[in-house]
Amino acid sequence: MIHKNIVCPVCGAACDDIQIEIKDGKIETKNVCKMGISRFKEITSPRRFKQPLLKFGGKLRPVSWDGALQIAADILTSAKRPLIYIGSETSCEAYEVGLMIGEYLGAIVDTVGNGAIVMGTQEAGKVGATEGQKKNKGDLMVYWGTNPLESMPRQMSRYGVFPRGYWTKRGRFDRTILTVDPRKTLTAKASDLQVQLKPDSDYELVSALLTLLNGRVPHHSVEEITGVSVHVMEEMLDLMKNCNFGTISVGAGLSSSPGKYRNIEIAMSLVKELNKYSKFTLGIIRSHCNAAGFSQVASYMYGYPFGLDFMRGHPRYNPGEFTTVDLLREKDIDAAFVICADLLSQIPPDCATYLEEIPLICLDTIPCPTTSLSDIVLPGVIDSMECEGTFYRLDDVPVYFEPFLDSPFKFTQSNEDTLKQLFEKIKEKKNQDSIFQDSVFPFTYIDDLKTQNCSSRSYTSSGQLSF
Ligand code: SF4
Protein backbone atom coordinates (compact mmCIF):
# COMPACT_ATOMS: atom_id res chain seq x y z
CA MET A 1 0.00 0.00 0.00
CA ILE A 2 1.24 3.48 -0.86
CA HIS A 3 0.86 6.15 1.81
CA LYS A 4 0.55 9.66 0.37
CA ASN A 5 0.94 13.22 1.69
CA ILE A 6 3.17 12.20 4.59
CA VAL A 7 4.97 15.07 6.35
CA CYS A 8 8.76 14.79 6.52
CA PRO A 9 10.04 15.32 10.09
CA VAL A 10 13.60 16.40 9.28
CA CYS A 11 14.09 20.05 8.33
CA GLY A 12 11.98 23.21 8.59
CA ALA A 13 10.50 22.77 5.12
CA ALA A 14 8.18 20.08 6.59
CA CYS A 15 7.48 18.78 3.06
CA ASP A 16 3.95 17.34 3.08
CA ASP A 17 3.97 15.50 -0.25
CA ILE A 18 6.03 12.46 0.70
CA GLN A 19 4.96 9.04 -0.57
CA ILE A 20 5.89 5.89 1.31
CA GLU A 21 5.57 2.25 0.38
CA ILE A 22 6.59 -0.54 2.72
CA LYS A 23 7.43 -3.72 0.82
CA ASP A 24 8.75 -6.84 2.57
CA GLY A 25 9.89 -4.77 5.54
CA LYS A 26 11.75 -2.32 3.26
CA ILE A 27 10.79 1.33 2.92
CA GLU A 28 10.53 2.94 -0.49
CA THR A 29 10.15 6.70 -0.59
CA LYS A 30 9.16 9.26 -3.21
CA ASN A 31 9.65 13.05 -3.15
CA VAL A 32 12.11 12.82 -0.24
CA CYS A 33 15.55 14.41 -0.38
CA LYS A 34 18.72 12.66 0.84
CA MET A 35 18.41 14.14 4.32
CA GLY A 36 14.84 12.94 4.66
CA ILE A 37 15.52 9.39 3.45
CA SER A 38 17.87 8.62 6.32
CA ARG A 39 15.17 9.62 8.83
CA PHE A 40 12.55 7.45 7.16
CA LYS A 41 14.98 4.52 7.27
CA GLU A 42 15.19 4.89 11.03
CA ILE A 43 11.81 3.19 11.28
CA THR A 44 13.34 -0.18 10.49
CA SER A 45 16.85 0.59 11.73
CA PRO A 46 18.36 -2.18 13.91
CA ARG A 47 20.04 0.60 15.94
CA ARG A 48 16.72 1.91 17.17
CA PHE A 49 15.93 1.87 20.92
CA LYS A 50 13.30 -0.80 21.47
CA GLN A 51 12.98 -0.61 25.23
CA PRO A 52 13.85 1.70 28.12
CA LEU A 53 17.44 1.53 29.35
CA LEU A 54 19.04 2.26 32.69
CA LYS A 55 22.76 2.80 33.27
CA PHE A 56 24.03 0.16 35.61
CA GLY A 57 27.69 -0.70 36.14
CA GLY A 58 28.63 1.87 33.49
CA LYS A 59 26.46 0.22 30.81
CA LEU A 60 22.94 0.88 29.61
CA ARG A 61 20.80 -2.17 30.37
CA PRO A 62 17.10 -2.90 29.74
CA VAL A 63 14.66 -1.96 32.48
CA SER A 64 10.87 -2.05 32.78
CA TRP A 65 8.90 0.94 31.45
CA ASP A 66 7.37 1.68 34.84
CA GLY A 67 10.75 1.40 36.53
CA ALA A 68 12.37 3.77 34.03
CA LEU A 69 9.61 6.36 34.44
CA GLN A 70 9.78 6.04 38.23
CA ILE A 71 13.54 6.61 38.34
CA ALA A 72 13.25 9.51 35.88
CA ALA A 73 10.55 11.06 38.09
CA ASP A 74 12.74 10.53 41.18
CA ILE A 75 15.70 12.27 39.51
CA LEU A 76 13.63 15.24 38.36
CA THR A 77 11.73 15.72 41.62
CA SER A 78 14.79 15.42 43.82
CA ALA A 79 16.81 17.93 41.74
CA LYS A 80 16.82 21.50 43.01
CA ARG A 81 17.24 23.07 39.59
CA PRO A 82 16.54 20.63 36.73
CA LEU A 83 16.86 21.55 33.06
CA ILE A 84 14.37 20.28 30.50
CA TYR A 85 15.91 20.63 27.06
CA ILE A 86 13.46 19.97 24.25
CA GLY A 87 14.83 19.45 20.75
CA SER A 88 13.02 20.25 17.55
CA GLU A 89 12.27 16.77 16.24
CA THR A 90 9.07 16.32 18.13
CA SER A 91 5.56 17.71 18.01
CA CYS A 92 4.08 20.88 19.49
CA GLU A 93 1.82 18.67 21.62
CA ALA A 94 4.95 17.18 23.26
CA TYR A 95 6.34 20.71 23.75
CA GLU A 96 3.20 21.64 25.66
CA VAL A 97 3.55 18.74 28.09
CA GLY A 98 7.31 19.37 28.48
CA LEU A 99 6.64 23.00 29.37
CA MET A 100 3.93 22.00 31.85
CA ILE A 101 6.33 19.56 33.54
CA GLY A 102 8.89 22.38 33.73
CA GLU A 103 6.36 24.73 35.33
CA TYR A 104 5.27 22.06 37.82
CA LEU A 105 8.84 21.25 38.84
CA GLY A 106 10.06 24.86 38.88
CA ALA A 107 12.61 23.83 36.25
CA ILE A 108 14.24 25.61 33.33
CA VAL A 109 12.90 24.74 29.90
CA ASP A 110 14.97 25.54 26.83
CA THR A 111 15.26 24.46 23.23
CA VAL A 112 17.68 24.08 20.34
CA GLY A 113 19.36 27.05 18.53
CA ASN A 114 17.59 29.91 16.72
CA GLY A 115 17.63 32.07 19.88
CA ALA A 116 19.48 34.92 18.18
CA ILE A 117 16.98 34.98 15.32
CA VAL A 118 14.05 35.05 17.75
CA MET A 119 15.67 37.84 19.79
CA GLY A 120 16.36 39.87 16.64
CA THR A 121 12.71 39.50 15.68
CA GLN A 122 11.65 40.59 19.17
CA GLU A 123 13.75 43.75 18.77
CA ALA A 124 12.70 44.75 15.27
CA GLY A 125 9.41 42.95 14.56
CA LYS A 126 9.01 40.99 11.35
CA VAL A 127 7.63 41.59 7.90
CA GLY A 128 7.07 37.98 6.90
CA ALA A 129 5.41 35.94 4.19
CA THR A 130 4.41 32.33 3.79
CA GLU A 131 6.39 30.11 1.44
CA GLY A 132 3.29 29.96 -0.76
CA GLN A 133 3.35 33.76 -1.18
CA LYS A 134 7.01 33.57 -2.15
CA LYS A 135 6.23 30.84 -4.68
CA ASN A 136 3.40 32.80 -6.30
CA LYS A 137 4.77 36.34 -6.10
CA GLY A 138 8.48 36.27 -5.29
CA ASP A 139 10.78 37.45 -8.09
CA LEU A 140 13.88 38.14 -5.95
CA MET A 141 15.26 35.68 -3.40
CA VAL A 142 18.19 36.78 -1.26
CA TYR A 143 19.88 33.97 0.69
CA TRP A 144 21.97 35.55 3.43
CA GLY A 145 24.22 33.33 5.55
CA THR A 146 22.46 30.17 4.50
CA ASN A 147 22.93 27.37 2.01
CA PRO A 148 19.48 25.84 1.49
CA LEU A 149 20.59 23.55 -1.34
CA GLU A 150 22.38 21.54 1.33
CA SER A 151 20.61 22.41 4.60
CA MET A 152 17.01 22.41 3.29
CA PRO A 153 17.29 20.73 -0.11
CA ARG A 154 13.68 21.12 -1.27
CA GLN A 155 13.07 24.72 -0.18
CA MET A 156 14.27 26.03 -3.55
CA SER A 157 12.41 23.44 -5.61
CA ARG A 158 9.11 23.63 -3.69
CA TYR A 159 8.84 27.33 -2.86
CA GLY A 160 11.75 29.68 -3.34
CA VAL A 161 13.29 29.41 -6.82
CA PHE A 162 12.16 26.78 -9.29
CA PRO A 163 8.36 26.29 -8.98
CA ARG A 164 5.94 28.10 -11.27
CA GLY A 165 3.69 30.43 -9.31
CA TYR A 166 0.63 32.53 -10.19
CA TRP A 167 2.74 35.60 -11.04
CA THR A 168 5.93 33.67 -11.71
CA LYS A 169 4.72 31.42 -14.48
CA ARG A 170 8.16 30.69 -15.91
CA GLY A 171 9.55 29.51 -12.57
CA ARG A 172 13.30 30.05 -12.29
CA PHE A 173 13.32 32.35 -15.36
CA ASP A 174 11.04 34.82 -13.55
CA ARG A 175 13.27 34.97 -10.49
CA THR A 176 16.61 36.48 -9.58
CA ILE A 177 18.74 34.81 -6.93
CA LEU A 178 21.22 36.74 -4.85
CA THR A 179 23.48 35.04 -2.31
CA VAL A 180 25.44 36.74 0.45
CA ASP A 181 27.92 34.33 1.96
CA PRO A 182 31.66 34.21 2.69
CA ARG A 183 31.76 30.67 1.29
CA LYS A 184 31.29 29.47 -2.28
CA THR A 185 28.37 27.22 -1.50
CA LEU A 186 26.22 25.21 -3.90
CA THR A 187 23.47 27.81 -3.48
CA ALA A 188 25.94 30.57 -4.31
CA LYS A 189 26.98 28.76 -7.49
CA ALA A 190 23.33 28.50 -8.54
CA SER A 191 22.75 32.25 -7.97
CA ASP A 192 22.65 35.14 -10.42
CA LEU A 193 24.80 37.27 -8.15
CA GLN A 194 27.03 36.07 -5.34
CA VAL A 195 28.33 38.61 -2.87
CA GLN A 196 31.28 36.99 -1.16
CA LEU A 197 31.78 39.17 1.88
CA LYS A 198 34.55 38.69 4.43
CA PRO A 199 33.59 36.49 7.40
CA ASP A 200 31.96 38.31 10.33
CA SER A 201 31.26 41.52 8.41
CA ASP A 202 27.50 41.10 7.92
CA TYR A 203 26.53 43.97 10.21
CA GLU A 204 28.85 46.37 8.39
CA LEU A 205 27.53 45.34 4.98
CA VAL A 206 23.87 45.85 5.98
CA SER A 207 24.78 49.22 7.55
CA ALA A 208 26.46 50.29 4.31
CA LEU A 209 23.41 49.20 2.30
CA LEU A 210 21.17 51.27 4.59
CA THR A 211 23.49 54.27 4.18
CA LEU A 212 23.32 53.98 0.40
CA LEU A 213 19.57 53.52 0.55
CA ASN A 214 19.32 56.81 2.41
CA GLY A 215 21.25 58.63 -0.33
CA ARG A 216 24.64 58.81 1.37
CA VAL A 217 27.96 57.21 0.45
CA PRO A 218 29.34 54.90 3.17
CA HIS A 219 32.82 55.47 4.59
CA HIS A 220 35.47 54.04 2.22
CA SER A 221 36.79 51.71 4.97
CA VAL A 222 33.65 49.58 4.59
CA GLU A 223 35.00 48.16 1.32
CA GLU A 224 38.06 46.87 3.15
CA ILE A 225 36.10 45.58 6.15
CA THR A 226 33.48 43.71 4.13
CA GLY A 227 35.51 42.90 1.01
CA VAL A 228 32.58 44.18 -1.07
CA SER A 229 32.95 47.23 -3.30
CA VAL A 230 30.43 50.07 -3.18
CA HIS A 231 29.69 49.32 -6.82
CA VAL A 232 28.53 45.78 -5.92
CA MET A 233 26.48 47.17 -3.02
CA GLU A 234 24.75 49.51 -5.45
CA GLU A 235 24.11 46.56 -7.76
CA MET A 236 22.52 44.66 -4.84
CA LEU A 237 20.30 47.62 -3.98
CA ASP A 238 19.34 48.05 -7.59
CA LEU A 239 18.01 44.48 -7.66
CA MET A 240 16.24 44.91 -4.33
CA LYS A 241 14.56 48.22 -5.15
CA ASN A 242 13.36 47.16 -8.58
CA CYS A 243 11.79 43.80 -7.81
CA ASN A 244 8.04 43.25 -7.36
CA PHE A 245 8.27 40.95 -4.33
CA GLY A 246 11.58 40.27 -2.63
CA THR A 247 12.58 38.11 0.31
CA ILE A 248 15.73 37.98 2.38
CA SER A 249 16.02 34.45 3.77
CA VAL A 250 18.48 34.45 6.63
CA GLY A 251 20.20 31.51 8.25
CA ALA A 252 22.56 30.64 11.06
CA GLY A 253 25.46 32.25 9.16
CA LEU A 254 23.98 35.68 9.84
CA SER A 255 22.78 35.12 13.40
CA SER A 256 25.99 33.45 14.56
CA SER A 257 28.48 36.02 13.26
CA PRO A 258 29.52 38.82 15.69
CA GLY A 259 26.55 41.02 16.40
CA LYS A 260 24.33 37.91 16.76
CA TYR A 261 20.74 39.06 17.15
CA ARG A 262 21.68 42.64 16.24
CA ASN A 263 22.46 41.32 12.72
CA ILE A 264 18.87 40.10 12.43
CA GLU A 265 17.59 43.38 13.82
CA ILE A 266 19.50 45.46 11.25
CA ALA A 267 18.52 43.07 8.42
CA MET A 268 14.91 43.69 9.44
CA SER A 269 15.54 47.45 9.36
CA LEU A 270 16.82 47.03 5.79
CA VAL A 271 13.66 45.09 4.88
CA LYS A 272 11.48 47.85 6.38
CA GLU A 273 13.32 50.49 4.33
CA LEU A 274 13.05 48.42 1.14
CA ASN A 275 9.28 48.36 1.57
CA LYS A 276 9.31 52.01 0.52
CA TYR A 277 10.30 50.81 -2.97
CA SER A 278 8.69 47.36 -3.36
CA LYS A 279 7.10 44.58 -1.32
CA PHE A 280 9.91 43.01 0.73
CA THR A 281 9.86 40.34 3.47
CA LEU A 282 12.25 38.50 5.78
CA GLY A 283 12.24 34.72 6.09
CA ILE A 284 14.21 32.30 8.25
CA ILE A 285 15.77 29.10 6.96
CA ARG A 286 15.35 26.78 9.94
CA SER A 287 17.33 23.62 9.47
CA HIS A 288 15.45 21.66 12.16
CA CYS A 289 11.97 20.42 11.53
CA ASN A 290 9.87 21.97 14.30
CA ALA A 291 12.35 24.67 15.34
CA ALA A 292 9.67 27.33 14.87
CA GLY A 293 7.20 25.36 16.99
CA PHE A 294 8.83 25.75 20.38
CA SER A 295 8.81 29.56 20.24
CA GLN A 296 5.18 29.50 19.16
CA VAL A 297 4.04 27.11 21.91
CA ALA A 298 6.14 28.66 24.69
CA SER A 299 5.03 32.16 23.67
CA TYR A 300 1.32 31.39 23.66
CA MET A 301 1.56 29.45 26.94
CA TYR A 302 3.91 31.67 28.93
CA GLY A 303 4.77 34.75 26.88
CA TYR A 304 8.44 33.90 26.25
CA PRO A 305 9.91 32.03 23.26
CA PHE A 306 12.74 29.97 24.85
CA GLY A 307 14.95 29.74 27.96
CA LEU A 308 12.10 29.86 30.49
CA ASP A 309 12.94 29.64 34.18
CA PHE A 310 10.04 28.56 36.45
CA MET A 311 12.06 28.45 39.66
CA ARG A 312 10.08 31.26 41.30
CA GLY A 313 6.74 29.77 40.36
CA HIS A 314 6.25 32.06 37.37
CA PRO A 315 8.10 32.15 34.05
CA ARG A 316 11.20 34.33 33.78
CA TYR A 317 13.16 34.98 30.58
CA ASN A 318 16.75 36.16 30.41
CA PRO A 319 18.83 34.79 27.50
CA GLY A 320 22.43 34.45 28.63
CA GLU A 321 21.34 33.41 32.13
CA PHE A 322 18.52 30.89 31.69
CA THR A 323 19.79 29.37 28.45
CA THR A 324 21.37 25.93 28.26
CA VAL A 325 25.02 26.70 27.53
CA ASP A 326 25.15 29.42 30.20
CA LEU A 327 23.50 27.18 32.79
CA LEU A 328 25.93 24.36 32.09
CA ARG A 329 28.94 26.67 32.06
CA GLU A 330 27.91 28.17 35.43
CA LYS A 331 27.09 24.69 36.80
CA ASP A 332 23.71 26.11 37.64
CA ILE A 333 21.65 22.93 37.15
CA ASP A 334 21.78 19.61 38.95
CA ALA A 335 19.89 17.29 36.57
CA ALA A 336 18.89 17.36 32.92
CA PHE A 337 16.17 15.83 30.79
CA VAL A 338 16.97 15.96 27.07
CA ILE A 339 14.06 15.31 24.74
CA CYS A 340 14.62 14.46 21.05
CA ALA A 341 17.94 16.27 20.71
CA ASP A 342 21.61 15.47 20.65
CA LEU A 343 22.56 18.17 23.14
CA LEU A 344 26.10 16.92 23.62
CA SER A 345 26.98 17.60 19.97
CA GLN A 346 25.73 21.18 20.20
CA ILE A 347 27.52 22.50 23.28
CA PRO A 348 31.13 23.53 24.02
CA PRO A 349 33.47 20.95 25.68
CA ASP A 350 33.37 22.55 29.18
CA CYS A 351 29.56 22.36 29.17
CA ALA A 352 29.69 18.76 27.93
CA THR A 353 32.02 17.87 30.81
CA TYR A 354 29.55 19.22 33.34
CA LEU A 355 26.64 17.47 31.62
CA GLU A 356 28.50 14.21 32.20
CA GLU A 357 28.66 14.92 35.94
CA ILE A 358 24.92 15.37 36.60
CA PRO A 359 22.04 12.87 36.35
CA LEU A 360 20.85 12.80 32.74
CA ILE A 361 17.63 11.43 31.25
CA CYS A 362 17.16 11.11 27.49
CA LEU A 363 14.19 10.52 25.24
CA ASP A 364 15.35 9.57 21.76
CA THR A 365 14.88 7.12 18.92
CA ILE A 366 18.45 6.05 18.08
CA PRO A 367 21.79 6.18 19.92
CA CYS A 368 23.72 9.45 19.81
CA PRO A 369 26.52 10.95 21.97
CA THR A 370 23.94 12.32 24.45
CA THR A 371 22.23 8.96 24.98
CA SER A 372 25.62 7.34 25.64
CA LEU A 373 26.05 9.73 28.61
CA SER A 374 22.53 9.19 29.93
CA ASP A 375 21.53 7.41 33.09
CA ILE A 376 18.12 6.58 31.66
CA VAL A 377 17.04 6.35 28.02
CA LEU A 378 13.34 6.39 27.16
CA PRO A 379 12.68 5.12 23.61
CA GLY A 380 11.18 7.72 21.31
CA VAL A 381 8.30 7.43 18.85
CA ILE A 382 8.94 9.04 15.43
CA ASP A 383 6.56 11.95 14.91
CA SER A 384 4.66 12.08 11.61
CA MET A 385 5.45 8.42 10.92
CA GLU A 386 4.20 6.66 14.05
CA CYS A 387 2.00 9.26 15.76
CA GLU A 388 -0.03 12.35 14.91
CA GLY A 389 0.70 15.93 15.91
CA THR A 390 1.64 19.38 14.66
CA PHE A 391 4.84 20.96 13.37
CA TYR A 392 5.42 24.62 12.61
CA ARG A 393 7.03 25.06 9.20
CA LEU A 394 9.94 27.48 8.58
CA ASP A 395 7.44 30.27 7.78
CA ASP A 396 5.51 29.71 11.04
CA VAL A 397 2.62 27.91 9.33
CA PRO A 398 1.32 24.97 11.43
CA VAL A 399 1.29 21.64 9.59
CA TYR A 400 -0.82 18.85 11.06
CA PHE A 401 0.47 15.35 10.38
CA GLU A 402 -1.05 11.90 10.56
CA PRO A 403 0.96 8.70 10.94
CA PHE A 404 1.14 5.83 8.48
CA LEU A 405 2.29 3.34 11.13
CA ASP A 406 1.30 2.56 14.72
CA SER A 407 3.64 3.17 17.59
CA PRO A 408 6.15 0.27 17.78
CA PHE A 409 5.71 0.18 21.58
CA LYS A 410 2.86 -1.12 23.73
CA PHE A 411 3.75 1.13 26.63
CA THR A 412 3.59 4.48 24.78
CA GLN A 413 1.80 5.82 21.73
CA SER A 414 3.82 9.02 21.19
CA ASN A 415 6.44 11.25 22.81
CA GLU A 416 3.56 13.36 24.08
CA ASP A 417 2.12 10.21 25.70
CA THR A 418 5.51 9.37 27.26
CA LEU A 419 5.77 12.86 28.74
CA LYS A 420 2.21 12.70 30.05
CA GLN A 421 2.93 9.37 31.78
CA LEU A 422 6.12 10.81 33.24
CA PHE A 423 4.18 13.87 34.42
CA GLU A 424 1.77 11.59 36.30
CA LYS A 425 4.70 9.83 37.99
CA ILE A 426 6.23 13.19 38.90
CA LYS A 427 2.96 14.34 40.48
CA GLU A 428 2.64 11.05 42.41
CA LYS A 429 6.19 11.37 43.65
CA LYS A 430 5.71 14.99 44.70
CA ASN A 431 2.46 14.10 46.50
CA GLN A 432 4.16 11.24 48.31
CA ASP A 433 7.00 13.53 49.32
CA SER A 434 4.63 16.18 50.62
CA ILE A 435 2.57 13.57 52.57
CA PHE A 436 5.80 12.30 54.05
CA GLN A 437 6.95 15.80 54.92
CA ASP A 438 3.56 16.65 56.48
CA SER A 439 3.57 13.47 58.54
CA VAL A 440 7.23 13.21 59.44
CA PHE A 441 6.55 14.70 62.86
CA PRO A 442 3.95 12.14 64.09
CA PHE A 443 5.65 9.15 62.41
CA THR A 444 9.01 9.95 63.94
CA TYR A 445 7.37 10.56 67.21
CA ILE A 446 5.45 7.26 67.17
CA ASP A 447 8.53 5.31 66.02
CA ASP A 448 10.56 6.81 68.79
CA LEU A 449 7.94 5.91 71.31
CA LYS A 450 7.95 2.31 70.15
CA THR A 451 11.70 1.84 70.01
CA GLN A 452 12.82 3.81 73.01
CA ASN A 453 9.69 3.59 75.13
CA CYS A 454 10.25 7.15 76.18
CA SER A 455 7.40 9.57 76.77
CA SER A 456 9.26 12.55 78.21
CA ARG A 457 10.20 14.20 74.93
CA SER A 458 9.38 17.32 73.01
CA TYR A 459 10.31 18.92 69.70
CA THR A 460 12.19 22.13 69.13
CA SER A 461 10.84 24.70 66.71
CA SER A 462 13.17 23.33 64.01
CA GLY A 463 11.66 19.85 64.41
CA GLN A 464 14.57 18.35 66.38
CA LEU A 465 13.76 15.85 69.06
CA SER A 466 14.85 16.86 72.53
CA PHE A 467 14.58 15.13 75.91
S1 SF4 B 1 13.63 19.32 2.35
FE1 SF4 B 1 13.57 18.84 4.50
S2 SF4 B 1 11.42 18.36 4.95
FE2 SF4 B 1 11.70 18.26 2.68
S3 SF4 B 1 12.17 16.11 2.27
FE3 SF4 B 1 14.14 17.14 2.54
S4 SF4 B 1 14.62 16.88 4.72
FE4 SF4 B 1 12.45 16.42 4.46
Side-chain angles (χ1 to χ4, degrees):
M1 182 184 168
I2 298 176
H3 303 274
K4 293 186 176 174
N5 300 331
I6 303 300
V7 178
C8 175
V10 178
C11 78
C15 298
D16 54 1
D17 60 345
I18 311 296
Q19 290 187 22
I20 303 285
E21 191 174 6
I22 304 180
K23 263 189 197 168
D24 308 326
K26 283 191 177 171
I27 294 190
E28 287 181 15
T29 52
K30 211 173 164 188
N31 300 339
V32 193
C33 70
K34 257 189 197 171
M35 271 167 50
I37 285 175
S38 57
R39 182 71 168 157
F40 279 93
K41 287 195 171 158
E42 270 179 29
I43 300 173
T44 50
S45 168
R47 295 172 62 228
R48 188 150 176 207
F49 291 122
K50 296 185 177 69
Q51 56 201 326
L53 303 170
L54 173 69
K55 192 164 268 173
F56 186 68
K59 277 192 175 175
L60 285 167
R61 297 172 201 271
V63 65
S64 73
W65 178 246
D66 251 20
L69 287 184
Q70 192 60 57
I71 297 167
D74 286 354
I75 289 174
L76 290 172
T77 49
S78 55
K80 283 188 180 145
R81 198 159 162 73
L83 166 73
I84 300 178
Y85 183 87
I86 313 183
S88 56
E89 287 184 2
T90 193
S91 65
C92 292
E93 288 77 0
Y95 287 162
E96 265 186 19
V97 187
L99 280 157
M100 286 192 281
I101 293 176
E103 184 187 10
Y104 186 81
L105 287 171
I108 295 151
V109 188
D110 195 17
T111 189
V112 64
N114 283 336
I117 291 180
V118 175
M119 286 166 67
T121 313
Q122 282 180 322
E123 291 292 326
K126 189 177 158 203
V127 185
T130 64
E131 293 300 303
Q133 285 174 308
K134 290 174 202 168
K135 173 185 164 184
N136 284 312
K137 299 178 182 172
D139 59 349
L140 174 67
M141 286 297 296
V142 183
Y143 290 107
W144 197 309
T146 181
N147 175 20
L149 265 183
E150 286 178 287
S151 65
M152 193 179 281
R154 294 187 70 212
Q155 193 274 340
M156 290 171 88
S157 60
R158 286 199 86 201
Y159 311 110
V161 178
F162 299 106
R164 294 160 198 263
Y166 194 84
W167 283 283
T168 48
K169 294 239 176 338
R170 296 185 308 146
R172 173 70 177 93
F173 299 109
D174 281 339
R175 295 192 178 93
T176 307
I177 313 301
L178 165 57
T179 311
V180 185
D181 206 309
R183 303 163 302 159
K184 277 194 178 160
T185 60
L186 282 182
T187 309
K189 284 179 193 162
S191 309
D192 299 295
L193 174 64
Q194 185 199 357
V195 178
Q196 197 170 0
L197 78 171
K198 285 186 183 171
D200 301 339
S201 62
D202 303 85
Y203 193 94
E204 289 81 356
L205 180 57
V206 184
S207 303
L209 290 174
L210 275 168
T211 310
L212 281 168
L213 207 56
N214 286 312
R216 305 273 173 99
V217 181
H219 192 269
H220 59 84
S221 65
V222 79
E223 291 191 333
E224 196 189 321
I225 293 168
T226 61
V228 181
S229 66
V230 171
H231 172 72
V232 172
M233 291 179 204
E234 282 170 345
E235 198 181 339
M236 288 171 75
L237 280 180
D238 202 39
L239 286 173
M240 290 173 174
K241 280 159 68 177
N242 294 312
C243 68
N244 292 321
F245 187 105
T247 296
I248 301 182
S249 291
V250 300
L254 182 63
S255 60
S256 58
S257 77
K260 307 281 177 188
Y261 72 97
R262 293 289 180 201
N263 294 341
I264 306 297
E265 188 188 351
I266 198 167
M268 197 64 238
S269 303
L270 177 66
V271 167
K272 283 182 196 164
E273 288 295 316
L274 286 168
N275 271 287
K276 291 178 184 163
Y277 302 89
S278 66
K279 175 69 185 161
F280 230 91
T281 63
L282 185 108
I284 301 163
I285 299 289
R286 303 173 197 264
S287 45
H288 296 283
C289 105
N290 196 15
F294 189 87
S295 326
Q296 294 283 346
V297 175
S299 298
Y300 77 63
M301 286 175 77
Y302 299 108
Y304 300 120
F306 64 96
L308 296 100
D309 178 19
F310 292 101
M311 196 184 169
R312 292 197 182 163
H314 57 86
R316 291 188 300 161
Y317 169 69
N318 190 16
E321 185 182 2
F322 307 137
T323 30
T324 305
V325 168
D326 311 283
L327 291 162
L328 287 166
R329 189 164 279 149
E330 294 298 321
K331 304 190 175 181
D332 210 6
I333 53 168
D334 55 356
F337 181 20
V338 179
I339 302 166
C340 297
D342 185 8
L343 176 59
L344 198 68
S345 309
Q346 299 162 4
I347 52 177
D350 55 332
C351 300
T353 310
Y354 183 63
L355 191 64
E356 202 175 352
E357 290 170 19
I358 58 175
L360 178 61
I361 308 157
C362 250
L363 192 163
D364 218 325
T365 50
I366 56 165
C368 63
T370 312
T371 56
S372 65
L373 273 194
S374 299
D375 299 289
I376 301 170
V377 178
L378 302 171
V381 179
I382 305 179
D383 286 277
S384 94
M385 300 185 208
E386 297 167 342
C387 62
E388 64 174 357
T390 313
F391 290 148
Y392 273 81
R393 212 169 58 181
L394 74 158
D395 51 355
D396 293 316
V397 170
V399 179
Y400 173 74
F401 55 81
E402 284 183 342
F404 57 93
L405 291 171
D406 293 330
S407 162
F409 311 115
K410 283 188 184 148
F411 43 79
T412 182
Q413 297 310 306
S414 61
N415 295 334
E416 180 197 359
D417 184 23
T418 300
L419 292 177
K420 279 183 174 167
Q421 291 185 48
L422 178 63
F423 197 8
E424 287 308 312
K425 292 271 183 216
I426 288 170
K427 284 186 207 164
E428 276 170 28
K429 174 80 178 128
K430 276 267 186 195
N431 287 340
Q432 275 172 12
D433 286 354
S434 65
I435 289 167
F436 179 71
Q437 271 170 12
D438 291 348
S439 41
V440 68
F441 174 86
F443 285 167
T444 313
Y445 185 68
I446 290 162
D447 286 348
D448 282 341
L449 275 179
K450 279 183 197 163
T451 51
Q452 296 182 26
N453 195 22
C454 178
S455 55
S456 59
R457 72 193 70 208
S458 63
Y459 284 84
T460 64
S461 56
S462 63
Q464 297 292 317
L465 189 66
S466 64
F467 294 93

